[in-house]
Amino acid sequence: MKRAVRLLAAIVVVAVLTPAIASGVVLGSLLFLPLPATLPSVKEGVTARVTHVYDSADKEIATFQPFDTSIPVQQSDIPVVLKQAVVASEDKDFYSHGGVDLGATLRALWADINNKRVVQGGSTITQQYAKLAFTDTKRTISSKIREAILASQLDRQVDKDTVLYRYLGLVFFGEGAYGIGAAAESYFHKPVSKLTLSEAALLTGVIPAPSRLSPRRHPVQAEARRKVVLKLMYEQKRVTKRAYDQAVAQKLWLAGSATPQPRAATVVYPIEPQETKQPWFTD
């Protein structure tokens, strides 16, 4: 009788473990072996841009701006402070891993399986980009596995800075701003190449939760997150103590608010309204 029970238990264990081990081997092969692979086409994103109307003397007389906006930028426009802020906050091992943080991914998958739904992140910047560029936005266990495989393939074919640049061109920064070009213009009325350390930290802080951390609607939460990003940068030795201290002192201030502007401030502007100085001529 005992022998039969042990045999039955062995059969059950083999039946359960064999598919799991086989799946692990297949997944590991897809992630880590240099298999030939063709990446899918990048999904079409938001293409709407701000339209500026000028007269013959080169004077701006009108602007038309859709709510969802994307402003393309060149890879050379991305400042170092922005790269360091995003890596420090989103994926501190970005430049050293192979596109996938296996430990974080397995922990996230285990939590998802136990809860029978997606409850935990664990995605690297490369995986986040793969999700934005190649897969749908649904958070399922199967989609996370596909993102990991695509991220691993992507890391073999594209250099790190290009992946980061492409990610920054797609990620949502809230208030209708898709990509870092639109975010810099929307929040600070400047091109991305002119972003300061404090401004880079503020925009980076928005990424995990664009609505909850909106600088315009939730400035207290956005300011707290800005300081967290700056602290991470300093702790990871991505900025000097002097640069950190100067940036921390530049507190978030909403342009046009009742409170006077501090001497050192990170100024966030309101959403630019539709504007025309010569409506008949513009029409």
Side-chain angles (χ1 to χ4, degrees), residues 42-53:
V42 176
K43 295 185 301 183
E44 184 177 350
V46 173
T47 57
R49 300 178 63 177
V50 179
T51 299
H52 301 268
V53 183

Side-chain angles (χ1 to χ4, degrees), residues 22-167:
S23 299
V25 170
V26 172
L27 180 59
S29 300
L30 291 171
L31 289 176
F32 300 113
L33 291 180
L35 302 174
T38 301
L39 292 169
S41 300
V42 176
K43 295 185 301 183
E44 184 177 350
V46 173
T47 57
R49 300 178 63 177
V50 179
T51 299
H52 301 268
V53 183
Y54 299 86
D55 64 13
S56 60
D58 218 21
K59 183 187 298 182
E60 185 176 290
I61 59 174
T63 59
F64 300 100
Q65 179 174 345
F67 183 72
D68 289 340
T69 309
S70 176
I71 301 176
V73 299
Q74 298 298 315
Q75 187 168 344
S76 57
D77 293 333
I78 308 297
V80 173
V81 289
L82 179 61
K83 294 179 185 178
Q84 296 289 6
V86 174
V87 171
S89 176
E90 294 293 300
D91 182 6
K92 64 184 178 65
D93 297 319
F94 172 69
Y95 285 102
S96 61
H97 62 57
V100 179
D101 184 336
L102 186 59
T105 299
L106 290 176
R107 287 193 297 272
L109 282 173
W110 182 251
D112 297 342
I113 291 169
N114 283 341
N115 290 273
K116 297 182 180 179
R117 62 187 179 88
V118 178
V119 296
Q120 191 169 319
S123 297
T124 64
I125 287 174
T126 314
Q127 287 173 264
Q128 291 180 53
Y129 170 69
K131 178 179 180 179
L132 293 170
F134 305 126
T135 69
D136 58 38
T137 56
K138 295 179 181 179
R139 298 183 65 189
T140 63
I141 294 173
S142 61
S143 68
K144 289 180 71 172
I145 293 174
R146 183 164 184 253
E147 288 161 19
I149 294 170
L150 287 170
S152 181
Q153 295 170 347
L154 185 69
D155 190 76
R156 300 187 191 112
Q157 300 179 34
V158 183
D159 66 88
K160 294 286 188 179
D161 279 341
T162 300
V163 171
L164 183 56
Y165 160 69
R166 292 179 182 177
Y167 168 73

